[in-house]
């Protein structure tokens, strides 16, 4: 191990338990909840195997009055829920790590769509999210003194169950818009009894919960508190620098550990496009001076040097991570073994966050095995060994081809990559130079680093293969990963695309990437769901061009809501003075103007342009694959199989291309590609 990282491996006491090192996987939802206990245990267990010292569950509801369905939350509502948690605890303990559980009551935030119990709150004030899927049309009830007693008792009952399941660290969750946090927050807490008014009163509930939980565990587990500090830091206090400071003066020594976070998830977990590593420092650097208890915080830490600095600067005791542990469950062990150059560094794309938002187990762009540990038996570091001595030709060195080559070579197969361009990387080479996207280069860096150390991989650049080349090369297996191209198309009123002829000054993103000249003013017609339209608008504006956008959707890049980016994108476009006209389709393109139709009012209007950039749909580049499969008898040429992966099969985000490459590499020698897929069904007992 590099000496300067030694500090990361010091043991740290958390009340009655001790973590073996400072690598702390903070509570974060993994999309598997209690309905997929085996998936969940394997997702968390792999991180323990990779060296993380503390592994926590995601938010775990303590009572049906905090029912977050359809989101994939965990629960510990009754003793019947204990065995599902035991699976995870065992998987974590097997590797000498501590297992933590984040007990949670959502209060006014909890929609209770399934339980149909009334939501609870200090003062009957609704949590008002702007998104339709979390909006509620009922107000929460005002908790009376019995409700408060119940809430404390539910924490106690859940703590007893957590102890039975074997957890070492048990949380009280007083962050974001959840119930204990609403008691802290003067906008949500208008009470006139002993639980409202001064901070001393507003903190009373949390204080009583922590004390009861501590009494319950009786030294057998640590009690942690997760709290949002950003808003409290802004609230004035008569007794201290801010209410956050005063809170620490009041109860700083009460729990065994403080876990600091922000009050809004999208702000705490922004994509790499909109945040730097360590972005949480302004909100958590104050706490350590005010408590002797260990402090954990996050901040998109991916580099061990940044992690060390958080410790040596006295900001944190534990390096908290969600994304870094998803992208590379083996990050701690790689540092421990002096292999930090092999870390699969998180790119900050927030595809993982999108999975939680979508109610499915977490998937990761960088780590295609995440979420597949149980159902496919995939391991991020050790793919199963090869079953034959075959050699494989990978055509195309973008994300799909590179992931296929990397995993095939780890399995022991000889691989040759042929890439048309003079460098590996495919679409990443274009996209990573756009504003805020440089971290996407890590997709290539990690894989390039792996294959360049392998004697089994040969790479031929500047090598565009044609059908005849492939047939004559003598490979056992051939896989095409030849990518996609942006299409020149418009949408009809059913919002399906139709191709249009090439016209002067009408371009696609590929034309921009290939250096096409753009005449000011640029009109972008963006009907892609994801980031490209807004990104190119920002890129071209940075070059001094005047840019405006037309989109058929109510927001630009609407799918980016899933990756916590949609509001940031809107703000960026606003800051750059990029005018956006929404809910419009272009019906006619003339030489210097377009005719658009508003999808709501059906009114038409004309907009002038000098360059029209259409960011529409992508089409697979599968000509080579189609020519090869139509060849008929491939076995005459010694070819046993031919497959098409990544964007040349079905254009998608980088995560899909990487997954497709990994799936191929793991299954091409098993016949059917789906052969190792199993599902976790609930059984009737
Ligand atoms: P994906 O995301 O599916 O990996 P990309 O578009 O990023 O797709 O990468 C595809 C890569 O395939 C590009 O780098 C492209 O230059 C390369 N390519 C396309 N056709 C050929 C070919 N016939 N021979 C070699 N390389 C090719
Ligand atoms: Fe990081 Fe993206 Fe993986 Fe999430 S999905 S852990 S943001 S690389």
């Amino acid at each position: 191990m590099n000496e300067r990282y030694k500090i990361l491996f010091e043991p740290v006491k958390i009340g009655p338990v001790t973590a073996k090192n400072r690598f702390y996987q903070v509570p974060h939802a993994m999309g598997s909840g209690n309905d997929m206990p085996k998936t969940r245990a394997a997702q968390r267990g792999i991180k323990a195997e990779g060296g993380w010292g503390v592994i926590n569950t995601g938010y775990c509801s303590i009572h049906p009055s905090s029912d977050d369905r359809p989101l994939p939350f965990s629960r510990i509502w009754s003793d019947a829920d204990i065995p599902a948690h035991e699976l995870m605890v065992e998987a974590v303990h097997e590797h000498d790590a501590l297992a933590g559980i984040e007990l949670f009551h959502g209060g006014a935030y909890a929609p209770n769509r399934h339980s149909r119990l009334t939501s609870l709150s200090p003062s009957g004030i609704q949590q008002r999210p702007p998104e339709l899927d979390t909006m509620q049309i009922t107000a929460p009830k005002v908790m009376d003194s019995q409700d408060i007693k119940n809430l404390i008792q539910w924490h106690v009952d859940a703590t007893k169950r957590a102890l039975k399941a074997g957890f070492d660290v048990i949380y009280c969750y007083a962050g974001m818009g959840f119930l204990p946090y609403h008691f802290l927050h003067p906008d949500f807490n208008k009470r006139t009894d002993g639980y409202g008014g001064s901070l001393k009163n507003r903190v009373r509930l949390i204080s009583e919960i922590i004390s009861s939980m501590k009494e319950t565990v009786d030294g057998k587990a640590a009690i942690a508190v997760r709290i949002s500090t950003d808003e409290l830091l802004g609230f004035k206090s008569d007794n201290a620098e801010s209410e956050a400071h005063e809170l620490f003066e009041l109860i700083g020594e009460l729990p065994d550990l403080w876990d600091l976070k922000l009050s809004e998830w999208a702000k705490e977990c922004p994509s790499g496009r909109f945040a730097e590593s360590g972005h949480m420092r302004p909100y958590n650097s104050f706490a350590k001076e005010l408590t002797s208890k260990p402090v954990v915080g996050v901040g998109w830490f991916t580099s061990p040097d940044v992690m060390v600095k958080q410790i040596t600067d006295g900001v944190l005791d534990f390096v908290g991570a969600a994304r870094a542990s998803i992208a590379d469950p083996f990050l701690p062990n790689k540092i421990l073994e002096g292999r930090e150059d092999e870390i699969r560094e998180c790119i900050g794309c927030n595809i993982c966050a999108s999975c939680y938002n979508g109610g499915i187990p977490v998937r990761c762009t960088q780590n295609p095995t995440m979420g597949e540990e149980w159902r496919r038996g995939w391991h991020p570091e050790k793919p199963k060994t090869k079953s034959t001595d075959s050699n494989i030709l990978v055509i195309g060195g973008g994300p799909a081809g590179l992931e296929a080559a990397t995993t095939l070579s780890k399995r022991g197969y000889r691989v040759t990559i042929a890439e048309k361009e003079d460098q590996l990387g495919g679409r990443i080479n274009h996209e990573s130079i756009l504003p805020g996207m440089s971290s996407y280069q890590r997709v290539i860096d990690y894989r390039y680093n792996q294959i360049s150390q392998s004697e089994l991989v040969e790479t031929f650049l500047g090598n565009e293969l044609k059908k005849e080349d492939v047939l004559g090369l003598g490979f056992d297996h051939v896989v095409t990963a030849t990518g996609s191209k942006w299409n020149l198309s418009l949408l009809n009123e059913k919002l399906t695309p139709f191709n249009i002829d090439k016209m002067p000054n009408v371009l696609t993103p590929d034309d921009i990437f290939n250096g096409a000249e753009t005449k000011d003013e640029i009109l972008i017609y963006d009907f892609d769901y994801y980031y490209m339209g807004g990104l190119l608008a920002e890129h071209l504006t940075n070059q001094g061009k005047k840019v405006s956008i037309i989109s058929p959707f109510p927001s630009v890049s609407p799918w980016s809501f899933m990756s916590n980016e949609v509001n940031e994108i809107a703000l960026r476009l606003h800051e750059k003075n990029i005018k956006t006209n929404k809910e419009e389709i272009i019906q006619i393109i003339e030489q210097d103007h377009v005719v658009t139709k508003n999808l709501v009012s059906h009114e038409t209007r004309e907009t002038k342009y000098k360059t029209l950039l259409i960011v529409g749909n992508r089409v697979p580049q599968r000509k080579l694959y189609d020519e090869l499969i139509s060849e008929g008898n491939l076995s005459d040429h010694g070819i046993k199989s031919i497959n098409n992966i990544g964007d040349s099969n079905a254009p998608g985000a980088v995560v899909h291309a990487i997954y497709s490459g990994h799936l191929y590499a793991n299954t091409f020698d098993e016949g059917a590609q789906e052969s190792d897929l199993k599902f976790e069904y609930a059984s009737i007992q």
Side-chain angles (χ1 to χ4, degrees):
M1 181 192 9
N2 189 321
E3 277 294 301
R4 69 176 188 277
Y5 302 141
K6 240 178 154 175
I7 194 169
L8 297 172
F9 293 91
E10 290 171 351
V12 181
K13 261 183 88 59
I14 313 173
V17 297
T18 303
K20 66 177 172 184
N21 60 33
R22 297 182 189 270
F23 292 97
Y24 192 106
Q25 182 245 272
V26 292
H28 71 90
M30 288 279 250
S32 34
N34 270 48
D35 299 332
M36 295 188 202
K38 293 178 188 157
T39 303
R40 179 172 64 185
Q43 279 174 317
R44 306 283 180 188
I46 200 75
K47 299 181 186 194
E49 187 186 333
W52 294 83
V54 184
I55 319 279
N56 287 287
T57 63
Y59 68 139
C60 181
S61 169
I62 57 171
H63 190 262
S65 58
S66 177
D67 166 23
D68 217 13
R69 255 176 244 224
L71 287 173
F73 65 109
S74 288
R75 61 168 191 264
I76 191 152
W77 290 348
S78 76
D79 287 359
D81 287 325
I82 296 173
H85 287 288
E86 278 171 342
L87 282 185
M88 177 198 139
V89 174
E90 279 162 23
V92 169
H93 282 172
E94 199 183 322
H95 300 284
D96 212 15
L98 297 179
I101 181 165
E102 186 184 38
L103 302 186
F104 148 88
H105 196 293
Y109 160 89
N112 298 342
R113 292 188 180 105
H114 183 61
S115 73
R116 301 185 77 174
L117 296 179
T118 308
S119 301
L120 301 172
S121 70
S123 305
I125 296 168
Q126 260 178 317
Q127 176 86 23
R128 290 187 188 268
E131 308 82 29
L132 188 61
D133 49 355
T134 37
M135 257 177 219
Q136 289 179 62
I137 47 175
T138 52
K141 75 169 275 201
V142 180
M143 287 169 76
D144 58 28
S145 59
Q146 186 56 46
D147 291 320
I148 290 178
K149 276 190 201 135
N150 290 346
L151 180 68
I152 296 169
Q153 189 57 42
W154 297 336
H155 276 89
V156 167
D157 294 344
T159 302
K160 285 182 190 158
R161 292 183 192 118
L163 275 180
K164 270 196 201 152
F167 284 103
D168 311 287
V169 180
I170 305 174
Y171 269 71
C172 159
Y173 197 170
M176 305 242 267
F178 307 142
L179 187 47
Y181 186 68
H182 272 188
F183 270 83
L184 274 181
H185 201 301
D187 290 349
F188 290 94
N189 183 348
K190 307 284 182 197
R191 298 178 76 94
T192 50
D193 61 4
Y195 293 94
S198 66
L199 182 66
K200 204 170 165 203
N201 278 358
R202 282 182 276 131
V203 104
R204 189 181 310 278
L205 175 75
I206 295 173
S207 172
E208 288 178 2
I209 292 173
I210 304 170
S211 300
S212 321
M213 287 172 71
K214 280 197 92 167
E215 209 181 300
T216 309
V217 294
D218 194 22
K220 292 196 240 6
I223 299 300
V225 173
R226 196 169 216 206
I227 195 153
S228 301
T229 51
D230 52 329
E231 291 182 304
L232 291 171
L233 280 165
F235 295 154
K236 282 211 177 83
S237 159
D238 294 335
N239 313 312
E241 205 176 313
S242 73
E243 286 207 340
H245 291 77
E246 189 183 343
L247 179 134
F248 272 85
E249 280 165 21
L250 289 168
I251 57 164
E253 294 302 307
L254 200 54
D256 298 310
L257 173 138
W258 285 99
D259 179 340
L260 309 183
K261 65 179 343 259
L262 297 190
S263 55
E264 271 180 49
W265 188 41
K267 278 195 197 144
E268 178 177 88
C269 186
S271 74
R273 188 177 158 194
F274 297 106
E276 299 282 320
S277 179
H279 64 96
M280 290 275 292
R281 199 171 167 137
Y283 309 107
N284 55 25
S285 56
F286 75 101
K288 255 186 73 58
E289 278 183 13
L290 302 172
T291 175
S292 67
K293 306 294 174 171
V295 174
V296 57
V298 293
W300 194 36
F301 306 128
T302 62
S303 130
D305 292 301
V306 176
M307 295 174 184
V308 167
K309 203 160 159 38
Q310 294 286 318
I311 310 297
T312 52
D313 286 359
V315 178
L316 302 173
D317 296 291
F318 283 105
V319 178
R323 289 176 291 181
S325 69
I326 295 170
D328 199 338
F330 279 68
L331 179 144
N333 281 357
K334 287 179 183 174
I335 300 172
L336 185 67
E337 293 156 13
R339 297 189 292 125
E340 53 273 9
D341 60 330
E342 291 182 32
I343 292 172
R344 208 185 292 103
E345 207 174 346
C346 167
I347 68 169
C349 59
N350 276 358
I351 286 295
C352 48
S354 79
C355 298
Y356 166 72
N357 285 333
I360 49 164
V362 155
R363 286 92 204 263
C364 172
T365 299
Q366 276 286 57
N367 175 10
T369 66
M370 180 46 66
E372 307 288 352
E373 298 85 355
W374 176 78
R375 75 171 188 179
R376 284 193 185 271
W378 286 357
H379 189 285
E381 302 301 314
K382 294 180 240 157
K384 61 185 175 223
T385 45
K386 65 178 182 174
S387 59
T388 66
D389 279 329
S390 304
N391 54 20
I392 298 123
L393 173 64
V394 176
I395 306 170
L402 275 179
E403 173 57 29
T406 305
T407 302
L408 285 167
S409 62
K410 282 190 181 176
R411 293 191 61 195
Y413 284 108
R414 289 205 159 274
V415 185
T416 299
I417 307 173
E419 167 53 53
K420 177 168 82 167
E421 302 295 333
D422 292 332
Q423 57 175 333
L424 294 171
R427 61 184 285 189
I428 299 290
N429 294 327
H430 303 305
E431 296 182 21
S432 63
I433 57 168
L434 297 174
M437 297 290 279
S438 60
S439 55
Y440 278 58
Q441 188 57 39
R442 296 172 186 170
V443 170
I444 304 308
D445 292 346
Y446 167 71
R447 287 161 183 88
Y448 179 73
N449 185 33
Q450 295 285 299
I451 59 170
S452 57
Q453 290 175 37
S454 169
E455 286 177 357
L456 296 174
V457 183
E458 269 192 297
T459 304
F460 294 92
L461 299 176
N463 224 282
E464 178 170 5
L465 293 187
K466 303 268 188 303
K467 182 183 83 175
E468 292 69 31
D469 305 323
V470 179
L471 295 177
L473 282 171
F475 283 91
D476 298 315
H477 300 276
V478 175
V479 57
T480 52
T482 46
S484 63
K485 287 253 172 301
W486 288 93
N487 207 16
L488 207 51
S489 52
L490 291 180
L491 288 183
N492 62 21
E493 286 191 35
K494 217 170 147 46
L495 300 189
T496 55
F498 60 94
N499 291 350
I500 56 168
D501 292 335
K502 195 138 188 48
M503 293 171 71
N505 303 322
V506 180
L507 307 176
T508 69
D510 290 319
D511 296 321
I512 302 284
F513 298 142
N514 293 330
E517 199 197 331
T518 51
K519 290 190 190 143
D520 225 354
E521 301 158 10
I522 302 169
L523 177 63
I524 296 181
Y525 181 35
D526 175 19
F527 58 87
D528 177 42
Y529 283 124
Y530 203 15
Y531 52 64
M532 188 55 74
L535 251 185
L536 282 176
E538 195 183 338
H539 172 65
L540 293 165
T541 308
N542 291 352
Q543 293 180 347
K545 305 273 163 54
K546 189 166 186 302
V547 181
S548 60
I549 300 178
I550 288 177
S551 162
F553 311 120
S555 55
V556 174
S557 309
W559 191 87
S560 304
F561 164 73
M562 302 291 276
S563 55
N564 292 350
E565 291 174 294
V566 77
N567 292 339
E568 298 291 342
I569 291 171
L571 176 64
R572 184 62 56 87
L573 297 177
H574 172 75
E575 285 167 352
K576 299 263 169 193
N577 214 7
I578 297 165
K579 206 171 146 232
T580 57
N581 285 293
K582 294 158 201 147
E583 299 182 308
E584 277 188 349
I585 54 171
I586 293 182
Q587 292 194 306
I588 300 165
I589 305 176
E590 299 290 357
Q591 214 176 16
D592 64 346
H593 72 274
V594 294
V595 179
T596 61
K597 179 173 182 181
N598 187 291
L599 292 171
V600 181
S601 67
H602 295 184
E603 283 162 5
T604 58
R605 67 180 183 98
E606 290 184 3
T607 304
K608 289 218 174 289
Y609 73 87
K610 295 231 169 70
T611 300
L612 176 63
L613 170 58
I614 299 181
V615 184
N617 60 319
R618 285 184 292 147
V619 287
Q621 295 302 289
R622 49 177 294 154
K623 184 165 164 268
L624 178 60
Y625 173 74
D626 287 338
E627 284 175 1
L628 284 167
I629 51 168
S630 59
E631 180 60 24
N633 221 344
L634 287 168
S635 55
D636 290 353
H637 303 274
I639 298 175
K640 297 188 183 90
S641 80
I642 169 136
N643 281 277
N644 185 28
I645 61 170
D647 290 342
S648 52
N649 185 38
V654 181
V655 61
H656 303 114
I658 295 283
Y659 184 75
S660 165
H662 195 85
L663 181 64
Y664 169 77
N666 262 307
T667 54
F668 83 100
D669 52 354
E670 285 184 353
Q673 284 215 352
E674 302 303 323
S675 59
D676 63 352
L677 183 63
K678 52 185 186 208
F679 290 98
E680 202 166 357
Y681 294 112
S683 60
I684 298 166
Q685 285 148 4

